[in-house]
Amino acid sequence: MKDVIETPPQKALRPASHVMRLAQLGSMFPTRLSFLRSLMRRLKAENAQVSRPVWNICANGFGHAVYSVELGGHTYSLVAVSTDIPADQRSDRVIATAWDAAFCLFDGVPGPDDIARICKNAPKQEAGQFSEKELVLSRANKSVRLFNAVVAALQSGTVPDEAMIRDIGYLMRTTAVYGNGKFGIADRALIQSRPCLGGPFAAEMLTVWLIRGFTHDLVEHVGQGTLPRHVKVHLGIGNSTGLGMAPFLVSHPTLLNNWMMARETALARVRAIETLDEAQIERIWQLILRAQDHIAQWRVPDPAHQSRIEELDSDFAEFCLFYLDPRKLREPFALDAVMMAAQTHSADLEELVAALLIEPFEDLVDGLTDCMVDPFGSFIDPRESCGQLWVKIRRDWGWAQKIDFDSHSETAQFWYVSEEKLEPRLGLRHSEDGADLESPLDIARRVQDLARDLPFDGTSLAEFLRAHPQHRFAAERIQNLARNPYAEIHDNLIGEGCLPIDMLRCKLSFFGASKFDPKSDRWTRITLCQGAPLFNDYAEADDWWLPAFEA
């Protein structure tokens, strides 16, 4: 007889009607399921060694370098090109045409001709010419204030300003990390079956980690000194992300479901733990103290968001003292009680507690990362009857049916793709042109339109769609949501109340981002790899959730 794999017990999953609201998604924190975390575990498991076969960088920090690492039986190389640009050309906006550094993740070890070609084209980014040997394309700008301060300290033999290092947390920030065939680089299909790079955005996360190491080497090279280890560990890589990332969650509904399902299943398994041992209770409190330090060090210029952080700081401290008291944690099903209590508080606190509870239980959680890909995508079953589709609409789409799309406020915005940059944008429907080029992110409205034309009878969906082909997209989304309960955002994505920043935070939390620093409701800065392992040093490869700087 074949061995039977026992599924760990679990409590009920949080319902999509609660989890999939924009406000909830916009409060998410990274977890041990985040893509950077799982990549670090793979690097540690293979003891992957990073080498630097090329370092052609002048004393002022300009030139090129190559880093190579073997992972999953394949060698990947980061080609980094550092450029001297005028200060007035340095911009995080997508319309920029010059950056302090440009990068390509190369499939294999590049030869001299490859390096010369990449050094010529990478600084041009989308205007350059690339091949399927380039897996990821990226660019970055310096955090000039911190970079120059660290260089000055190293050159003078003094300790860099640790308060500045704590508050900024990165030497460079990327403004794009492109994969999957963008601008002529390799399609994801080329690597999706390879060990270690088959997971979502694994190649992009490997690129980000290698870029972070390059920034350490670059500042030490220019400063002619060595940073203390605890400073290096805290210096992650920044990122500036805008609207271009937001529509991904809507256009990949099954993938979104699988990410959320893994996260919610992890939480449900943890909530089913009947009794915690003393080591687990101690571990939870270590993480609580670290999270409190992390939040205390999370400071942003935006007054509204800073007020939100301060409220979370206060609420979390009070919540932990009352609900996570060690005596209460010794009671049966203590973590389930903690999560039920968290659901009566703010979305920020609830999602922080959810991430906290997932963190200490790798044996229950880590295997779920294998379920976070989407090998099949969406499809439509034309054999279903219109009556059966109606049942799904009534059961799963009540939230969409309640929206009044005759109201200007509920149709205030429209999504489109800019002709110049091929990037998603958001327009104002009632005051700007372009709505005729609208992208299909108005999911709720399309479901409503289908429902108006759909008969409640035994007519096959195939027959109905022959007469109404404009409803095929909505029918597919309805069937997909019936199979994948977390596939849809339960809000109106074209209403004036839609804040793209919420979608950005959801996706970035799965990357492993922290210290969200919103610059508007349409773009944010974040920090990646803060606390992550350094090159060839995996001692803490799986213990850097919400890191805090320690002087």
Side-chain angles (χ1 to χ4, degrees), residues 18-38:
H18 175 68
V19 175
M20 300 306 295
R21 299 300 301 269
L22 278 173
Q24 203 75 24
L25 298 174
S27 300
M28 288 176 58
F29 286 84
T31 72
R32 61 180 308 109
L33 294 172
S34 299
F35 309 141
L36 268 170
R37 293 286 302 281
S38 58

Side-chain angles (χ1 to χ4, degrees), residues 16-227:
S17 59
H18 175 68
V19 175
M20 300 306 295
R21 299 300 301 269
L22 278 173
Q24 203 75 24
L25 298 174
S27 300
M28 288 176 58
F29 286 84
T31 72
R32 61 180 308 109
L33 294 172
S34 299
F35 309 141
L36 268 170
R37 293 286 302 281
S38 58
L39 174 66
M40 292 303 110
R41 291 195 290 270
R42 296 186 184 108
L43 288 163
K44 179 180 181 179
E46 297 197 10
N47 193 27
Q49 298 296 296
V50 179
S51 62
R52 196 180 73 186
V54 176
W55 183 260
N56 187 6
I57 302 287
C58 74
N60 292 325
F62 308 118
H64 66 270
V66 177
Y67 294 81
S68 296
V69 60
E70 184 173 328
L71 188 62
H74 295 264
T75 300
Y76 304 101
S77 300
L78 179 79
V79 181
V81 185
S82 176
T83 308
D84 185 8
I85 66 170
D88 61 1
Q89 292 187 22
R90 186 177 295 109
S91 171
D92 285 355
R93 296 188 65 190
V94 72
I95 60 172
T97 57
W99 303 270
D100 286 314
F103 308 92
C104 282
L105 184 67
F106 186 85
D107 190 6
V109 179
D113 291 343
D114 296 312
I115 295 173
R117 176 177 57 80
I118 292 171
C119 286
K120 177 182 178 182
N121 286 280
K124 300 177 183 178
Q125 291 290 287
E126 52 261 56
Q129 295 182 338
F130 302 98
S131 74
E132 66 175 7
K133 296 296 288 183
E134 285 81 68
L135 305 178
V136 178
L137 177 66
S138 184
R139 69 276 190 113
N141 286 322
K142 292 173 182 172
S143 174
V144 177
R145 185 163 61 97
L146 181 57
F147 192 94
N148 290 346
V150 172
V151 166
L154 290 174
Q155 288 177 340
S156 65
T158 59
V159 177
D161 185 338
E162 294 195 336
M164 188 182 295
I165 288 169
R166 178 198 64 210
D167 293 343
I168 297 176
Y170 53 80
L171 296 165
M172 284 189 179
R173 59 181 171 270
T174 58
T175 62
V177 184
Y178 294 124
N180 194 24
K182 191 88 167 178
F183 306 125
I185 62 177
D187 289 333
R188 173 173 163 75
L190 182 70
I191 58 172
Q192 66 182 2
S193 62
R194 292 187 185 180
C196 303
L197 287 196
F201 293 95
E204 289 87 343
M205 295 302 98
L206 177 61
T207 303
V208 167
W209 181 66
L210 292 170
I211 291 172
R212 180 248 200 159
F214 166 73
T215 69
H216 295 168
D217 287 355
L218 185 66
V219 79
E220 290 184 333
H221 175 75
V222 178
Q224 300 178 334
T226 301
L227 291 170

Side-chain angles (χ1 to χ4, degrees), residues 298-501:
W298 179 13
R299 293 291 178 260
V300 300
D302 178 67
H305 199 79
Q306 181 59 39
S307 176
R308 181 175 160 185
I309 294 169
E310 290 170 1
E311 182 178 351
L312 174 63
D313 191 3
S314 174
D315 290 351
F316 183 59
E318 183 178 341
F319 181 90
C320 291
L321 288 175
F322 187 81
Y323 292 102
L324 286 158
D325 181 278
R327 290 169 296 182
K328 290 192 174 183
L329 289 178
R330 295 186 183 99
E331 296 175 358
F333 297 106
L335 299 186
D336 186 45
V338 168
M339 201 61 222
M340 285 192 289
Q343 291 174 355
T344 66
H345 289 69
S346 68
D348 284 333
L349 186 137
E350 180 184 351
E351 294 307 322
L352 175 58
V353 171
L356 166 70
L357 298 190
I358 289 171
E359 182 62 27
F361 301 101
E362 60 271 16
D363 292 344
L364 291 176
V365 170
D366 290 356
L368 292 167
T369 58
D370 295 335
C371 307
M372 297 177 77
V373 296
D374 172 22
F376 307 113
S378 300
F379 59 90
I380 193 166
D381 181 359
R383 301 167 299 175
E384 187 171 56
S385 73
C386 291
Q388 290 172 314
L389 196 68
W390 251 118
V391 170
K392 292 181 171 65
I393 294 173
R394 289 174 175 172
R395 183 189 65 201
D396 303 332
W397 294 83
W399 58 272
Q401 295 293 86
K402 295 175 183 177
I403 301 170
D404 179 11
F405 286 107
D406 291 329
S407 166
H408 273 212
S409 65
E410 298 293 3
T411 57
Q413 306 185 89
F414 67 93
W415 295 84
Y416 66 99
V417 176
S418 71
E419 185 176 21
E420 181 182 4
K421 286 291 184 176
L422 300 179
E423 291 278 352
R425 292 288 178 267
L426 197 56
L428 300 177
R429 186 183 308 275
H430 306 303
S431 60
E432 297 177 359
D433 295 332
D436 56 320
L437 302 174
E438 185 169 7
S439 300
L441 272 69
D442 55 334
I443 308 300
R445 184 173 64 168
R446 288 169 179 262
V447 170
Q448 274 199 24
D449 290 345
L450 180 151
R452 277 195 294 269
D453 292 338
L454 188 69
F456 187 72
D457 58 21
T459 302
S460 73
L461 185 57
E463 184 178 350
F464 170 77
L465 292 178
R466 276 196 295 269
H468 303 276
Q470 72 273 20
H471 294 315
R472 187 188 190 284
F473 178 77
E476 181 179 307
R477 302 292 290 223
I478 293 165
Q479 289 186 340
N480 188 59
L481 185 61
R483 296 186 297 268
N484 300 295
Y486 297 104
E488 298 289 348
I489 298 172
H490 288 213
D491 271 304
N492 177 18
L493 302 183
I494 60 171
E496 65 181 10
C498 172
L499 302 179
I501 195 77

